[in-house]
């Protein structure tokens, strides 16, 4: 059986940034499950894993455009600190829930704190990064109909 659209795959992975720092890893945990072909994992990794089989080990480098996108200057905003007066112990790196004009929630990260203004960044923390994955395919099975209709693994 191969990794293809409609298969539930589990993988062990280690993710490093371009500087070689480990950002995330499944080591010591259960392998991570995902439904291939449904955007459960970043597009560049999904493409690279297509057609692989159990036991395959792959090293995959993914450009930002195929990962978490480019870092957008427009996504960085200064807001008056009075707007966040209800937030206790505001610290750099803290993530806050915000809403766009249509009421959709999104997450911003606090990147700068000054007396009058606070800078928040709505870019994904890994936006603009080239990502390096070491992956091993642990299992592959057919997805159930319900999993396909939901677009995720049960
Ligand atoms: Zn579901």
């Amino acid at each position: 059986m191969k990794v293809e659209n409609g298969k539930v795959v589990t993988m062990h992975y280690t993710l490093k940034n371009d500087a070689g720092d480990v950002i995330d890893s499944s080591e010591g945990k259960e392998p991570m499950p995902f439904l291939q072909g449904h955007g459960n994992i970043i597009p560049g990794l999904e493409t690279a894993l297509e057609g692989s089989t159990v036991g395959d080990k792959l090293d995959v480098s993914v450009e930002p455009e195929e990962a978490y996108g480019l870092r957008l200057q427009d996504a960085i905003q200064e807001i008056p600190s009075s707007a966040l007066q209800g937030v206790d112990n505001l610290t750099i790196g803290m993530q806050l829930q915000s809403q766009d004009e249509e009421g959709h929630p999104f997450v911003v990260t606090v990147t700068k704190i000054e007396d009058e203004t606070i800078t928040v960044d709505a870019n994904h923390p890994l936006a603009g990064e080239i990502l390096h994955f070491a992956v091993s395919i642990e299992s592959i099975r057919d997805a159930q109909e319900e999993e396909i209709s939901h677009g995720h693994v049960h």
Side-chain angles (χ1 to χ4, degrees):
M1 197 175 275
K2 284 184 161 69
V3 176
E4 59 187 344
N5 192 351
K7 303 293 184 196
V8 171
V9 182
T10 64
M11 66 174 175
H12 272 301
Y13 69 95
T14 297
L15 167 60
K16 293 181 180 175
N17 63 15
D18 218 27
D21 305 319
V22 175
I23 296 170
D24 194 12
S25 173
S26 64
E27 207 179 297
K29 297 182 240 172
E30 292 291 308
M32 190 184 90
F34 63 94
L35 177 58
Q36 176 76 354
H38 291 259
N40 292 182
I41 58 176
I42 58 168
L45 189 56
E46 192 166 70
T47 304
L49 298 183
E50 180 81 13
S52 52
T53 58
V54 171
D56 281 0
K57 294 183 193 308
L58 297 92
D59 290 311
V60 181
S61 293
V62 184
E63 296 292 322
E65 292 88 339
E66 292 292 306
Y68 293 100
L70 298 170
R71 186 161 285 278
L72 303 175
Q73 202 57 37
D74 285 357
I76 301 169
Q77 274 193 310
E78 277 192 359
I79 55 176
S81 44
S82 57
L84 292 176
Q85 256 166 11
V87 181
D88 290 330
N89 305 321
L90 203 64
T91 52
I92 288 182
M94 190 178 216
Q95 297 201 311
L96 304 170
Q97 192 85 252
S98 187
Q99 276 188 352
D100 67 17
E101 299 84 35
E102 283 142 30
H104 300 126
F106 65 97
V107 172
V108 298
T109 306
V110 175
T111 55
K112 200 168 167 190
I113 301 173
E114 290 165 307
D115 287 346
E116 301 288 315
T117 59
I118 301 199
T119 306
V120 294
D121 185 349
N123 285 297
H124 188 280
L126 294 176
E129 301 266 2
I130 299 170
L131 303 179
H132 303 277
F133 292 89
V135 173
S136 66
I137 304 295
E138 301 296 319
S139 70
I140 304 172
R141 66 167 169 84
D142 290 319
Q144 296 150 2
E145 266 174 51
E146 199 186 33
E147 291 176 311
I148 301 226
S149 72
H150 288 199
H152 57 233
V153 178
H154 286 170

